Amino acid sequence: MKKEYDGMGPVSGFEGELDLFLRARYTLVVVVTLEEERALKAIAEVCERGRRPCLAWDLADGFEVLSGKPGNLPVAKDPLTVIEQVEKADGDITFVLKDFHDCWSNPQVKRKLRNTAQRLKFTRKSIVVISPTRTVPEELRNETEVLELPLPDAAQLDGVLGGLTRTPGIKVDLTPGGREKLGQAALGMTAAQAGRAYAKAIVRDGALDERHIEAVVREKKEVIRESEALEFYPVHETPDDVGGLDVLKQWLRLRERAFTQEARDYGLPAPKGMALIGIPGTGKSLTAKMIGGLWRLPLLRLDVGALFGSLVGEAEERTRRALRLAETVAPCVVWIDEMEKALAHGGGDSGTSTRVFGTILTWMQEKTAPCFVVGTANDVSSLPPEVLRKGRFDEIFFLDLPTAEERAEIFSVHLRKRRRLPGDFDIARLAARSEGYVGAEIEQTIVDAMYVGFHQDREFTTDDILTALARQVPLSVSQRETIGALRSWMREGRAQSASFDEAVEAERQFVVPLEPLGH
């Protein structure tokens, strides 16, 4: 959305919003960011365009000029005096207060700031507080407008790189395409973090080239890890690493180019996400990882448990920060594992979990950034009904016990993963004898057979795997009632089978014997 800037041309985003607030005579604005230097630069540019004098204040250096010629600088060494000087100042002046959020706990400062904010409504003066969090005292919320400075986009990060290239002695050997990829790799970092990552590569190797794209990605992984609630997963899995699930794979392949500009030009919206519901061990987590590899997108796992902190408002702030970071990294895949645990909410924590739950659901419904959400769940009965409501996910897939054909494929996948040729084993016999086993259980029988062969200093065989199958009690037996309830939920038409299309499913009798052969 673009806004006109006092005849100075169209301005969008943060600067446009801030200019609108100042022209509308908002008296108290809190700018939320960790990038103080970048925020000061943006505020100064807004004031220069609007021909407004701008002064900044901090506890160490007092007042300084950010833009314009405001005349004699006021003198103030403490927060109360600062507010008094703001009231006494003449003219159309914007005051930027650094670290002022540290004063929120002082009742006298809060009262004085509230009085001043109310009086400034009849002037053309404004106060801008730069804060790392959205937390504003209850007493000041009615007087305050909160504005977030988003993390830099690809163009702004390219500007950081441009600043480095103008430094004498700095060598940058990047094609236009390589430069674009480098900027994409740095998305999700602050301008300072990206600048340090670029500088580190230059100092280490004497130049910056396309070899360093992966190094920047590694730096970004560390930044995302520090967010506490997001984990950057490496994506190596491909559809060949996932046995069966042909319908789900076809659905994903149809959307493989959905995040390209070509798709936007065609008029296609970016897909919102999918829910994977089903029996434990059937490959839901593996599928989430496979999507990142298939679409060549970053995979971020949202750890909802890590969102909760001990301080009031900390969980909500962490949630918003994590979701903003995901949007900055976009296009990406956001994986919410075990949704029934992650999105459970109750009344035993003063409503914190309910607010976090609501924030995540609202974001899933209304997000415009290309973040593809993959939610996995084992116990659908524990999921609040609003989670699976239409609009949050494009499709809900059910992952059932694998069929004989899928079991054969799963055996082949895991044998190849362990550098064995499936042709050296009786795959058809293994598939027949493993009825009722899920993929994770099949993988474990191969591992168990390998231990036997290794202990006896020989290659493991089909018979070793069959012996391991006979010893194992699968979930289809130990959790027969739970699996039966899940299948009943599927039969009610609440989800699409990940393995069979609707026509085949209608012809197929949806009852697979739960008692595995050999038991």
Side-chain angles (χ1 to χ4, degrees), residues 16 46 48 93 95-96 101 123 133 151 153 177 185 214 217 236 247 250 275 343 369 378-379 416 435 439 488 506 517:
V46 168
E48 285 173 4
I93 303 179
F95 294 88
V96 181
H101 59 282
T123 72
T133 72
L151 288 168
D153 58 24
E214 184 58 35
V217 171
H236 307 298
V247 171
Q250 178 61 21
L343 299 182
N378 297 324
D379 184 5
R416 283 194 296 268
E435 188 172 0
S488 296
L517 296 178

Side-chain angles (χ1 to χ4, degrees), residues 435-438 441 469 472-479 514 516 519:
E435 188 172 0
Y437 285 76
V438 297
E441 293 167 338
L469 280 170
Q472 193 175 123
V473 179
L475 285 172
S476 60
V477 173
S478 62
Q479 297 188 25
L514 291 179
H519 281 271

Side-chain angles (χ1 to χ4, degrees), residues 426-500:
D426 190 344
I427 299 296
R429 190 177 170 205
L430 291 171
R433 293 286 295 276
S434 58
E435 188 172 0
Y437 285 76
V438 297
E441 293 167 338
I442 290 173
E443 180 181 14
Q444 188 58 48
T445 61
I446 294 176
V447 173
D448 290 345
M450 290 181 74
Y451 274 114
V452 171
F454 180 74
H455 178 70
Q456 298 178 7
D457 294 323
R458 63 173 175 80
E459 188 59 49
F460 71 101
T461 65
T462 298
D463 287 338
D464 293 324
I465 301 175
L466 289 172
T467 300
L469 280 170
R471 288 198 187 112
Q472 193 175 123
V473 179
L475 285 172
S476 60
V477 173
S478 62
Q479 297 188 25
R480 180 190 300 272
E481 294 79 10
T482 301
I483 292 175
L486 275 170
R487 291 175 138 192
S488 296
W489 180 83
M490 161 69 182
R491 282 199 300 271
E492 292 171 2
R494 302 188 187 187
Q496 161 75 23
S497 169
S499 302
F500 301 96

Side-chain angles (χ1 to χ4, degrees), residues 139-421:
E139 301 92 326
L140 293 173
R141 286 183 185 174
N142 190 51
E143 321 296 337
T144 307
E145 187 68 36
V146 177
L147 179 61
E148 295 182 9
L149 177 66
L151 288 168
D153 58 24
Q156 291 166 327
L157 289 171
D158 188 67
V160 173
L161 180 59
L164 280 176
T165 61
R166 290 190 290 272
T167 304
I170 297 297
K171 184 179 179 181
V172 176
D173 185 17
L174 287 167
T175 64
R179 187 163 178 148
E180 181 180 353
K181 288 180 181 177
L182 187 69
Q184 290 288 334
L187 283 175
M189 304 172 79
T190 67
Q193 289 165 341
R196 288 196 296 270
Y198 297 157
K200 182 178 177 181
I202 292 170
V203 170
R204 184 176 55 223
D205 298 324
L208 188 65
D209 55 39
E210 295 189 22
R211 295 174 301 167
H212 298 110
I213 293 173
E214 184 58 35
V216 172
V217 171
R218 287 196 297 270
E219 295 282 341
K220 181 167 71 174
K221 289 178 182 177
E222 292 302 317
V223 170
I224 290 176
R225 189 173 290 115
E226 289 173 5
S227 73
E228 299 178 347
L230 284 177
E231 183 177 358
F232 198 114
Y233 263 74
V235 285
H236 307 298
E237 287 79 5
T238 69
D240 293 335
D241 297 315
V242 181
L245 310 183
D246 290 340
V247 171
L248 189 153
K249 290 177 181 177
Q250 178 61 21
W251 191 93
L252 292 171
R253 288 190 180 100
L254 279 174
R255 290 156 180 80
E256 189 171 351
R257 296 159 54 206
F259 295 98
T260 63
Q261 185 57 47
E262 184 182 2
R264 300 288 80 73
D265 294 341
Y266 192 80
L268 278 174
K272 286 190 172 185
M274 64 161 60
L276 303 177
I277 313 295
I279 300 164
T282 49
K284 297 184 292 297
S285 298
L286 181 61
T287 299
K289 299 173 186 176
M290 178 263 288
I291 295 171
L294 175 65
W295 288 353
R296 295 175 293 280
L297 294 178
L299 175 63
L300 305 178
R301 180 178 176 272
L302 179 63
D303 182 359
V304 178
L307 294 173
F308 294 91
S310 58
L311 301 178
V312 175
E314 188 176 2
E316 296 90 325
E317 182 64 32
R318 286 183 181 179
T319 303
R320 284 188 288 264
R321 190 183 305 133
L323 298 179
R324 286 199 305 271
L325 182 55
E327 291 187 335
T328 303
V329 176
C332 64
V333 177
V334 178
W335 172 26
I336 306 177
D337 198 19
E338 296 189 331
M339 288 189 297
E340 69 272 35
K341 298 176 183 176
L343 299 182
H345 61 104
D349 56 1
S350 301
T352 300
S353 58
T354 301
R355 291 191 295 272
V356 169
F357 171 83
T359 299
I360 294 174
L361 286 189
T362 300
W363 175 77
M364 289 170 60
Q365 179 78 29
E366 300 180 357
K367 61 182 168 62
T368 56
C371 298
F372 185 83
V373 177
V374 180
T376 64
N378 297 324
D379 184 5
V380 71
S381 65
S382 298
L383 277 174
E386 57 265 39
V387 173
L388 299 180
R389 198 186 74 198
K390 286 296 183 182
R392 305 199 199 283
F393 296 107
D394 298 314
E395 188 60 85
I396 301 170
F397 283 103
F398 180 78
L399 282 70
D400 197 2
L401 293 173
T403 64
E405 182 180 348
E406 289 179 321
R407 294 195 300 274
E409 190 176 342
I410 292 169
F411 273 111
S412 298
V413 165
H414 288 295
L415 287 169
R416 283 194 296 268
K417 188 180 292 186
R418 287 156 181 82
R419 301 189 300 278
R420 301 308 195 272
L421 294 175

